[in-house]
Amino acid sequence: MRKKLFIKTFGCQMNVYDSARMADMLAPLGYDAVQSPDLADLVVLNTCHIREKAEERVFSELGTIRPLKAARAGKDPMVIAVAGCVAQAEGDLIIERAPFVDIVVGPQSYHRLPELIARARRIAAGAEGAANCGGRRQPGLGVLDVEFPPVPKFDSLPPPRATGVSAFLTVQEGCDKFCSFCVVPYTRGAEYSRPARDIVAEARHLVASGVREVTLLGQNVNAYHGEAPESAEGSWGLARLARGLAEIDGLRRIRYTTSHPGDMGADLIAAHGDVAQLMPFLHLPVQSGSDRVLAAMNRRHSAAGYLRIVEDLRRAQPAMALSSDFIVGYPGETDADFEATLQLVRTVGFAQSFTFKYSPRPGTPAAAAAQLPETVKDERLQELQALLREQQAAFNAAAVGKVVEVLVEKAGRKPGQLSGRTPQFQPVHFSAPPGRSDVGAGSIVGVRIDGAALNSLDGSPAESDVGATTRQPERANA
Ligand code: 5AD
Ligand code: SF4
């Protein structure tokens, strides 16, 4: 009998990837994904612990789901699983605050979901006592499993089912950097790189299912050092992996995220200059422009070091567009420190960015330090966001009048429109070329940019370039 699965994903792209893999894994067991938890047999909340607000959202979602489960009590109860980083970091708190949760499973253990679900269902049916469960046991709770497993989960997952032309592909997980504000090394565990052979095989499988762009994912993706396909060759870094993937016929675009400045090696920078499929866009978080704050954050790079990398990247690839994460209001951040961040932003000129107020996270070194007043954090956030918005608008405006190559992803917002992204990751909506039914998702089309807004571009097909589906992408906006 088919069953209904509702997965809600919080947080980063790695969680989006993990949620998709959970659905892939559960499909052969009869679970079809549904868009609402109302009638679901299994609800999975794939959670994020990076900031306090993200954690709060999980508990509020659980509050919404609780009555749905209560309404189904009886023969065929709803099973609720909390997965992801809150599960890993706050398993005990979940049990305390939400004892109706059946399964708590960390981000490295979700390949065990089928077994955990079967147990939870047996327990709910009274066929097995909670005390007989694996993992850590709690009275009244089905299964709690938040240990880091000895075997990487990837070996136990089925091949992914591709949906769409652009897919995520996790190549690396975990982090050994221990930035003093960040929970990731505690929730995702130590750095681990998948063997290159498995990644290439997964990419080939995705391309065979219609994918034209892969985004390689990792908490520290440019620290990638996976076993080479021929193990005698040692290991492959991210640059070598990108070159290997670029040989796959039909794979038109390669992106990767998230990178650390400390791992931005010369080989990776050079690859941006000569691997045509490697897109001229990089999300390279700097967090702060003050060396004092960077040192306190244990970032292991300086502001000048970051600027040197940006210069080198732009020398290798003049079209390079940069994106970053920023934290304002880190403990001890002075007005002068914040000004240094603004100065770095003015120097780089970012195409897009993500900004956050510092949020103390339990167990991290910075959480114990004296906190800045919320008003100071708010003011700095507003000022930084205003500057970054200005830069993003200017970056988009600079595309107006140019012809850019757009990878078509889907139908656009309005009838007769298509939408996709430029090499520099800007969303574009454009009118479909008349009489060209061959141009659709997966095509790469030359689009003349007619207008720019803060978050997207508008365009029309450029006569000479319509339907250029077999060419390698060029560097746009150079
Ligand atoms: N407070 C605020 N922002 C944080 N980030 C990570 N930890 C914290 C925290 N404790 C931000 C960083 C990181 C992004 C994913 O989230 O900017 O790059
Ligand atoms: Fe967190 Fe720093 Fe690792 Fe990024 S590099 S995941 S910010 S500890």
Side-chain angles (χ1 to χ4, degrees):
M1 207 186 71
R2 304 303 297 178
K3 299 188 206 75
K4 293 190 174 69
L5 162 68
F6 173 72
I7 303 187
K8 179 151 183 166
T9 308
F10 301 80
C12 67
Q13 291 145 322
M14 304 211 48
N15 270 9
V16 174
Y17 176 88
D18 286 341
S19 291
R21 302 310 305 276
M22 289 182 212
D24 294 342
M25 193 177 52
L26 295 170
L29 303 179
Y31 285 94
D32 297 321
V34 293
Q35 298 306 315
S36 137
D38 297 17
L39 296 170
D41 299 287
L42 171 62
V43 170
V44 179
L45 303 185
N46 194 8
T47 63
C48 172
H49 198 235
I50 198 99
R51 286 171 291 276
E52 199 177 353
K53 264 199 190 137
E55 182 180 344
E56 281 164 12
R57 264 184 240 134
V58 177
F59 287 104
S60 114
E61 187 70 23
L62 281 170
T64 312
I65 289 167
R66 180 183 199 165
L68 302 178
K69 174 166 177 154
R72 284 189 43 151
K75 258 176 89 189
D76 192 17
M78 174 190 276
V79 171
I80 301 178
V82 178
C85 291
V86 177
Q88 186 68 43
E90 303 285 6
D92 294 329
L93 185 68
I94 293 168
I95 296 155
E96 195 186 306
R97 284 181 60 179
F100 50 93
V101 167
D102 302 283
I103 297 169
V104 180
V105 61
Q108 306 306 350
S109 303
Y110 65 75
H111 56 290
R112 294 186 53 210
L113 263 177
E115 159 206 347
L116 299 177
I117 293 163
R119 278 192 193 159
R121 293 179 74 87
R122 284 202 299 275
I123 291 161
E128 187 177 326
N132 295 329
C133 304
R136 283 154 60 203
R137 279 163 248 136
Q138 300 288 328
L141 180 94
V143 180
L144 173 68
D145 181 4
V146 289
E147 303 303 322
F148 287 125
V151 179
K153 66 189 175 200
F154 297 103
D155 294 345
S156 316
L157 296 172
R161 295 174 302 169
T163 51
V165 299
S166 184
F168 292 134
L169 201 174
T170 294
V171 304
Q172 180 277 335
E173 281 226 28
C175 183
D176 296 336
K177 296 275 191 296
F178 290 93
C179 298
S180 37
F181 52 82
C182 184
V183 287
V184 165
Y186 310 95
T187 57
R188 288 259 172 186
E191 223 175 67
Y192 165 77
S193 293
R194 294 176 70 188
R197 190 193 306 108
D198 298 355
I199 295 164
V200 173
E202 192 166 317
R204 281 189 192 286
H205 172 84
L206 289 168
V207 170
S209 338
V211 165
R212 295 291 167 261
E213 171 181 85
V214 290
T215 301
L216 309 178
L217 295 181
Q219 244 87 40
N220 238 241
V221 72
N222 58 340
Y224 175 78
H225 57 281
E227 186 185 302
E230 304 303 330
S231 46
E233 288 174 45
S235 69
W236 276 12
L238 191 66
R240 181 68 189 87
L241 181 66
R243 289 178 192 280
L245 293 172
E247 285 171 16
I248 299 176
D249 239 12
L251 181 58
R252 310 292 302 279
R253 292 183 167 187
I254 301 169
R255 303 181 185 278
Y256 57 95
T257 195
T258 290
S259 296
H260 188 283
D263 293 311
M264 214 56 224
D267 56 345
L268 188 53
I269 293 174
H272 277 281
D274 60 29
V275 179
Q277 292 87 338
L278 203 50
M279 289 293 99
F281 173 89
L282 180 63
H283 181 63
L284 188 65
V286 65
Q287 313 295 355
S288 167
S290 154
D291 285 345
R292 223 177 55 79
V293 172
L294 288 170
M297 287 176 165
N298 190 31
R299 286 290 292 177
R300 310 170 201 208
H301 64 82
S302 62
Y306 184 87
L307 294 175
R308 264 196 307 277
I309 295 168
V310 171
E311 257 176 44
D312 291 347
L313 280 164
R314 286 180 168 157
R315 202 170 303 120
Q317 174 45 266
M320 202 73 198
L322 271 301
S323 155
S324 177
D325 293 339
F326 296 91
I327 295 178
V328 299
Y330 187 78
E333 184 189 65
T334 63
D335 285 343
D337 292 322
F338 177 61
E339 179 51 38
T341 299
L342 296 175
Q343 193 48 45
L344 180 137
V345 171
R346 289 185 203 108
T347 308
V348 174
F350 288 94
Q352 67 164 62
S353 277
F354 301 89
T355 49
F356 309 103
K357 287 194 283 183
Y358 171 70
S359 163
R361 304 309 292 131
T364 59
Q371 302 299 310
L372 292 190
E374 211 52 28
T375 48
V376 172
K377 291 186 189 176
D378 280 330
E379 276 167 25
R380 291 181 184 166
L381 187 72
Q382 303 274 330
E383 194 174 347
L384 179 59
Q385 284 180 338
L387 175 60
L388 289 165
R389 256 198 314 272
E390 225 173 78
Q391 294 193 339
Q392 185 169 332
F395 179 75
N396 285 348
V400 175
K402 293 185 174 154
V403 173
V404 296
E405 292 211 323
V406 173
L407 172 61
V408 181
E409 291 177 1
K410 54 183 189 236
R413 288 176 299 204
K414 298 179 196 149
Q417 265 194 343
L418 294 172
S419 76
R421 284 189 189 258
T422 68
Q424 293 161 314
F425 208 52
Q426 297 141 295
V428 187
H429 306 283
F430 65 102
S431 44
R436 293 296 305 264
S437 55
D438 58 318
V439 174
S443 306
I444 289 183
V445 185
V447 173
R448 183 175 307 284
I449 302 303
D450 304 320
L454 183 62
N455 293 313
S456 65
L457 305 175
D458 276 308
S460 44
E463 293 292 318
S464 57
D465 256 344
V466 171
T469 53
T470 53
R471 292 213 337 247
Q472 288 306 323
E474 278 167 11
R475 300 307 186 203
N477 295 4

